[in-house]
Amino acid sequence: IFTRDFTSLNQSGFDNATTPVDQRMVFALSLQQEFSKIMNAYSQAQNNGNNYATELAYLMGGALQISDQMLVLANEIIPTFDPEAADYTTRMQGLEQMKSGLTTQIRGAILSLQETNVYSDEDRVILARYLAKYSLNTNAFLDEPTQKILQAEFEQLRVQETNALIKDLLGQVLAAF
């Protein structure tokens, strides 16, 4: 499962237009939570001395892919929010939590790319490819101050990076800002 792209996620119900967008978002949130549980289990095993760096790179990438799909859904659902509705404030708070979680997820990927003592160049390439592929929607979704902070972090990482392929992939991430 970890040696292939999570392409089946694209056919997993995210883009089924016959299903109401609220239901698709609930599905996406559930999937993201389950991915997080699996990733936490692998992280614990890694911290206990097992080598699951490759699996973790794929899991982080899969989580980025799910987040990307969630952002597509968010962009579909946000225009339906009625500012006069009783649940409007709750929905907007959920949106802010989503942005915060996404920022944390990206920062986690940045930190992982820096952990050359944990992740091999091959593992870091896997993660960098996911970041390059799924960063456009992410960057557009975040507020401008957060974008600028993350852009600076990616620029610093790119300057320090010694692997040419990862450096190129980070350039692709930066181009999305």
Side-chain angles (χ1 to χ4, degrees):
I1 185 171
F2 298 107
T3 58
R4 65 179 173 92
D5 189 33
F6 292 98
T7 53
S8 62
L9 289 175
N10 292 331
Q11 291 85 38
S12 63
F14 290 116
D15 57 0
N16 183 348
T18 62
T19 303
V21 68
D22 283 348
Q23 289 178 10
R24 289 183 279 152
M25 183 61 88
V26 168
F27 171 76
L29 288 167
S30 297
L31 186 59
Q32 185 74 292
Q33 289 172 352
E34 294 307 313
F35 240 74
S36 180
K37 289 177 187 175
I38 295 167
M39 198 163 30
N40 286 338
Y42 273 89
S43 292
Q44 283 184 328
Q46 176 82 16
N47 291 339
N48 289 332
N50 297 293
N51 184 3
Y52 288 118
T54 301
E55 290 83 355
L56 284 166
Y58 277 110
L59 284 165
M60 283 185 275
L64 288 166
Q65 183 177 354
I66 293 168
S67 292
D68 181 75
Q69 291 291 319
M70 288 175 64
L71 296 178
V72 171
L73 293 174
N75 287 330
E76 186 178 337
I77 202 170
I78 291 169
T80 70
F81 291 177
D82 178 3
E84 304 301 319
D87 66 347
Y88 181 75
T89 301
T90 303
R91 285 178 172 244
M92 295 309 289
Q93 288 171 344
L95 187 61
E96 289 306 311
Q97 287 177 343
M98 190 174 171
K99 289 179 181 182
S100 175
L102 187 57
T103 302
T104 300
Q105 186 179 40
I106 294 167
R107 281 215 162 106
I110 290 170
L111 287 172
S112 295
L113 287 172
Q114 294 171 328
E115 293 181 324
T116 56
N117 60 325
V118 175
Y119 296 95
S120 69
D121 276 0
E122 293 81 12
D123 299 332
R124 293 178 331 108
V125 165
I126 291 165
L127 184 53
R129 281 190 171 133
Y130 276 102
L131 279 165
K133 185 172 182 177
Y134 296 109
S135 59
L136 185 60
N137 286 333
T138 301
N139 297 339
F141 188 74
L142 299 172
D143 58 53
E144 188 174 337
T146 302
Q147 287 179 14
K148 289 187 182 299
I149 291 167
L150 290 174
Q151 183 178 12
E153 290 177 15
F154 276 115
E155 285 173 350
Q156 181 180 3
L157 180 59
R158 187 168 189 260
V159 166
Q160 295 170 347
E161 183 57 55
T162 58
N163 181 293
L165 178 54
I166 295 171
K167 192 175 274 236
D168 179 59
L169 290 165
L170 291 171
Q172 292 175 40
V173 172
L174 285 165
F177 280 97

